[in-house]
Amino acid sequence: MGFEEIKNELSDISLDDETCVAKVTPERIYSVACHPSPHHIIACAGDKTGHVGIWNFGQFRSDTVSDNVHLFKPHGGAVSHLVWNHSGITLLSCSYDGSVRAFDANKQVFQEIFATYDDSDMYKDKIGDGKCFFLSTSEGSVMHVDLRSNAKVTFNGVLSEKKINTVSLHPNGYAMATAGLSTVVQLWDLRNMGTKSNKGHKPFAWQNAGKSINSAYFSPGGSGMVTTTMSNNLDILKDAHTSSGLIKVPEHRIRHDNMTGRWLSTFMARWYNQPVCGEEVFVVGSMQKPRTIEIFSGRSGKVLREIRGEALTAVASRCCFHPNRLVVVGGNSSGRVTVAFDRS
């Protein structure tokens, strides 16, 4: 389909109802996620002080919208990442307190499944249906944890001299991207990295962003990668997993104000799990006024939708899509979550 057809597909996503916003956590939101249920919208947020809020927004009908929020405090530090497994039974949370916890949706309890307790900032970015995941630390190392083997660390390597903000695994299962304060996106081949050696790892490709990188994520199809940088750019890299050496220029460079300041969480562009009319798209917060959440084309880098409405009164620093529906969730610095979707 053409550009206009894709825009039309996204045009009915709205935030024009006050029921689209709720106070979900007490403090600034650091992470958001959406439950994979195709029938309900269940938005989750993790905040600066270790709270996880779960908002049962309701079904895809305006007469069932609810402000039912369940609040937990599983962590002692900021919750940097949240992700549901494919079945929607387990929610993993990762925190600056050095621990990863699993929320059992049936039992309504959190259980610690991995911890370091060495004062490292921890980030979790990839999960294989709840069975294994990667962690990155403020010290520049990356670990792979296998829950099938009693949380055994199957890989532990120092890949940067500075904090790594995100780890992203390509759909091929072996190309991995890391990015953070080093200002460089680095791509690694896990097949050549052994298990626990801390020395000698070399990336097969890299891109210099100029300033620190908030996030770098492969697209679900694997052909694209979007990076959010403090150079005020959103960079789209094409087929980065097949590159070699220095990636001199991105496929598209989108000028984007990423200067959120010290009181707001940083922007991190996130992909939608499924193509829209055959095209991969991603969502990111915006500093624009009136307050806006933006959806971009992963192929052309053009804006497909600018979501505004009465329910969006502050900058939505952290945004994500519902895994299976065109629903956008955004979280702000006051602990409020907004949900944008097509009510028609």
Side-chain angles (χ1 to χ4, degrees):
M1 288 190 176
F3 184 72
E4 292 302 321
E5 286 80 4
I6 299 171
K7 289 182 66 175
N8 290 336
E9 183 74 15
L10 300 170
S11 62
D12 291 328
I13 299 176
S14 71
L15 277 168
D16 292 330
D17 193 312
E18 62 181 10
T19 60
C20 291
V21 61
K23 177 78 169 175
V24 175
T25 62
E27 302 291 340
R28 183 208 304 186
I29 290 175
Y30 272 56
S31 55
V32 291
C34 201
H35 189 275
S37 169
H39 308 296
H40 296 80
I41 305 174
I42 301 173
C44 309
D47 79 0
K48 180 180 179 180
T49 55
H51 295 90
V52 174
I54 301 177
W55 178 23
N56 186 1
F57 185 84
Q59 297 182 355
F60 285 80
R61 299 185 308 178
S62 59
D63 60 347
T64 62
V65 171
S66 169
D67 62 351
N68 188 14
V69 175
H70 302 272
L71 186 63
F72 304 86
K73 195 178 188 299
H75 293 285
V79 181
S80 56
H81 201 86
L82 293 169
V83 62
W84 287 96
N85 69 348
H86 297 315
S87 66
I89 296 174
T90 303
L91 173 70
L92 291 191
S93 60
C94 186
S95 171
Y96 286 13
D97 67 9
S99 71
V100 179
R101 294 179 181 267
F103 174 73
D104 187 315
N106 295 323
K107 297 179 181 179
Q108 300 280 294
V109 294
F110 279 87
Q111 179 181 3
E112 182 180 283
I113 58 173
F114 184 79
T116 59
Y117 295 118
D118 63 353
D119 297 325
S120 295
D121 293 355
M122 307 300 294
Y123 300 80
K124 193 217 65 60
D125 268 334
K126 183 64 184 176
I127 176 175
D129 199 23
K131 298 176 182 177
C132 55
F133 53 83
F134 284 96
L135 291 169
S136 64
T137 77
S138 62
E139 298 175 344
S141 62
V142 171
M143 291 180 285
H144 181 265
V145 180
D146 190 343
L147 299 180
R148 298 166 296 186
S149 302
N150 196 27
K152 180 181 178 180
V153 177
T154 60
F155 172 80
N156 185 6
V158 177
L159 304 185
S160 175
E161 296 180 353
K162 296 183 178 181
K163 180 170 73 171
I164 296 175
N165 284 333
T166 61
V167 180
S168 181
L169 187 65
H170 189 273
N172 64 20
Y174 57 83
M176 181 178 72
T178 59
L181 300 190
S182 70
T183 75
V184 180
V185 179
Q186 294 180 299
L187 293 109
W188 313 84
D189 190 331
L190 294 175
R191 298 172 298 181
N192 301 328
M193 296 177 71
T195 55
K196 294 188 178 182
S197 172
N198 285 328
K199 296 181 180 180
H201 300 310
K202 294 183 179 180
F204 65 82
W206 58 92
Q207 186 225 4
N208 295 313
K211 293 187 178 180
S212 63
I213 304 164
N214 300 340
S215 62
Y217 291 119
F218 285 112
S219 66
S223 62
M225 176 191 289
V226 60
T227 67
T228 310
T229 78
M230 294 310 291
S231 299
N232 281 338
N233 293 320
L234 301 174
D235 284 350
I236 300 175
L237 308 183
K238 182 175 175 58
D239 294 326
H241 64 293
T242 63
S243 300
S244 179
L246 176 64
I247 302 173
K248 295 182 178 179
V249 293
E251 182 77 6
H252 298 287
R253 172 158 285 169
I254 307 164
R255 292 298 296 170
H256 192 268
D257 184 0
N258 294 328
M259 298 300 173
T260 52
R262 64 178 297 186
W263 304 114
L264 304 180
S265 298
T266 55
F267 293 145
M268 290 183 168
R270 301 283 298 275
W271 295 95
Y272 182 38
N273 281 357
Q274 304 176 34
V276 178
C277 302
E279 185 165 330
E280 292 187 307
V281 302
F282 61 87
V283 65
V284 67
S286 173
M287 296 298 291
Q288 288 187 51
K289 293 182 180 180
R291 294 309 181 194
T292 305
I293 296 174
E294 298 171 303
I295 300 176
F296 287 87
S297 163
R299 181 172 58 187
S300 67
K302 295 180 179 179
V303 176
L304 295 170
R305 180 81 169 96
E306 294 181 324
I307 306 171
R308 301 184 179 100
E310 295 180 5
L312 191 63
T313 59
V315 175
S317 293
R318 297 293 164 88
C319 301
C320 72
F321 282 103
H322 186 289
N324 307 307
R325 298 272 187 170
L326 277 175
V327 173
V328 174
V329 173
N332 68 29
S333 62
S334 64
R336 286 179 168 79
V337 170
T338 54
V339 174
F341 70 107
D342 183 357
R343 290 180 175 273
S344 61

